[in-house]
Amino acid sequence: MLLVKGKVKSVYKPGNEPKSVFIEYHDKITAGNGEKEDYPVGKGSLCCQISSILFDKLEEFGIKTHYIRQIGPNKMLCKELDILPLEVIVRNRAAGSIVKTTTIQEGQPIIPAIVEFFLKDDSKQDPLLTRDRVKLMGIDPMPLVEQASNINEYLLNIFNLIGFDLIDFKIEFGVDAHGELYLADEISPDSMRLWDKNTQSKYDKDLFRNDEGDIVPAYRTILSKLQSTFI
Ligand code: 5GP
């Protein structure tokens, strides 16, 4: 049964697995709040496999994630959660919206990394939230900041080992019936910026956003480097 049809993924409720969902990653990419879209062949499976490896590694480091196991090239079984209506963004270097909306220059290091909150609501254009507003929404931001900072340290190390600078990334969290917090959604080059350490070339969704190249070979490079280093 289809639970949620997102822009690039669908969430289904399997008949035989209580408290679980399966998430299907589609061969689809969108940008600009869905204004621009394309259907790159193989993209769903690349994002699913990259996410699976990263969820597995983060679990090894003690981060609670919704990931249970991969059940097909572009499908994963996950815990069923109530997803918080927030996009949690961690920035190690300036790029994207922080450059567009401030005087900060692209590429400027952000040390220590910052954690920001955006409302997850396309109809409101995902605005930047203050922590006070997050609290007024009934969500304590502090455990999210702590988890996001820990996840950042692990992801920085993982990508450093395969030769990439992790510029920034977006994550989402969900809570289970006991109020326990889990990392949810996906972690892939669709939701992060990755620049080659030597050349500073982009290997992420900005290639599509800015018409700067084909994402499929870039995502394939990330997957094969993760596989050869961590599997
Ligand atoms: P920015 O705030 O610069 O637009 O995005 C910061 C980081 O979060 C980037 O790595 C970007 O890819 C990711 N990000 C922000 N919003 C979204 C979103 O709605 N979907 C996805 N997949 N990633 C996002």
Side-chain angles (χ1 to χ4, degrees), residues 4-127:
V4 184
K5 178 131 187 60
K7 286 197 289 267
V8 298
K9 298 190 291 298
S10 299
V11 183
Y12 300 86
K13 181 88 201 135
N16 53 349
E17 299 259 10
K19 297 185 187 160
S20 303
V21 292
F22 73 84
I23 301 181
E24 185 176 21
Y25 289 64
H26 302 299
D27 282 350
K28 184 175 174 192
I29 187 164
T30 69
N33 210 350
E35 276 165 23
K36 185 176 172 184
E37 63 180 49
D38 195 12
Y39 299 86
V41 175
K43 186 253 180 188
S45 146
L46 287 166
C47 286
C48 183
Q49 292 181 80
I50 293 169
S51 289
S52 294
I53 295 172
L54 294 174
F55 280 130
D56 256 341
K57 288 309 292 176
L58 290 171
E59 285 277 353
E60 269 178 38
F61 294 132
I63 302 287
K64 284 190 179 145
T65 82
H66 71 158
Y67 177 72
I68 299 171
R69 63 178 180 275
Q70 214 180 314
I71 52 173
N74 65 334
K75 287 192 193 77
M76 53 172 66
L77 190 69
C78 295
K79 288 188 175 66
E80 188 173 20
L81 301 171
D82 281 330
I83 302 294
L84 302 180
L86 295 175
E87 296 189 343
V88 181
I89 307 258
V90 183
R91 299 184 193 275
N92 295 302
R93 302 226 336 243
S97 70
I98 196 170
V99 173
K100 285 199 195 97
T101 57
T102 69
T103 57
I104 302 164
Q105 299 291 306
E106 180 167 90
Q108 181 179 312
I110 302 175
I111 302 170
I114 56 169
V115 178
E116 297 181 325
F117 295 95
F118 290 78
L119 184 68
K120 185 177 155 65
D121 186 340
D122 286 343
S123 71
K124 296 181 177 172
Q125 279 83 44
D126 296 351

Side-chain angles (χ1 to χ4, degrees), residues 87 89 91 95-97 168-170 190-193 209:
E87 296 189 343
I89 307 258
R91 299 184 193 275
S97 70
D168 58 25
F169 62 91
K170 185 264 306 181
D190 247 28
S191 51
M192 51 180 52
R193 291 193 171 92
R209 287 192 187 97

Side-chain angles (χ1 to χ4, degrees), residues 79-226:
K79 288 188 175 66
E80 188 173 20
L81 301 171
D82 281 330
I83 302 294
L84 302 180
L86 295 175
E87 296 189 343
V88 181
I89 307 258
V90 183
R91 299 184 193 275
N92 295 302
R93 302 226 336 243
S97 70
I98 196 170
V99 173
K100 285 199 195 97
T101 57
T102 69
T103 57
I104 302 164
Q105 299 291 306
E106 180 167 90
Q108 181 179 312
I110 302 175
I111 302 170
I114 56 169
V115 178
E116 297 181 325
F117 295 95
F118 290 78
L119 184 68
K120 185 177 155 65
D121 186 340
D122 286 343
S123 71
K124 296 181 177 172
Q125 279 83 44
D126 296 351
L128 177 63
L129 298 170
T130 61
R131 291 186 190 181
D132 283 334
R133 288 187 184 197
V134 173
K135 276 188 217 154
L136 286 169
M137 287 166 59
I139 301 168
D140 180 359
M142 289 327 288
L144 302 176
V145 171
E146 195 186 316
Q147 280 297 293
S149 304
N150 291 337
I151 291 164
N152 184 44
E153 290 307 314
Y154 297 130
L155 292 180
L156 272 172
N157 282 332
I158 289 170
F159 285 107
N160 190 38
L161 277 172
I162 65 163
F164 288 89
D165 287 333
L166 175 62
I167 305 302
D168 58 25
F169 62 91
K170 185 264 306 181
I171 46 180
E172 296 181 24
F173 290 94
V175 286
D176 70 6
H178 311 287
E180 200 79 55
L181 192 65
Y182 290 86
L183 175 63
D185 195 47
E186 74 175 288
I187 329 176
S188 78
D190 247 28
S191 51
M192 51 180 52
R193 291 193 171 92
L194 293 168
W195 296 357
D196 181 288
K197 275 197 163 309
N198 298 318
T199 63
Q200 298 287 279
S201 317
K202 294 169 185 164
Y203 281 71
D204 55 55
K205 190 169 154 183
D206 271 352
L207 292 169
F208 173 71
R209 287 192 187 97
N210 308 330
D211 291 317
E212 287 173 341
D214 190 352
I215 58 140
V216 170
Y219 289 17
R220 196 175 289 126
T221 299
I222 300 293
L223 175 62
S224 62
K225 285 180 189 263
L226 287 171

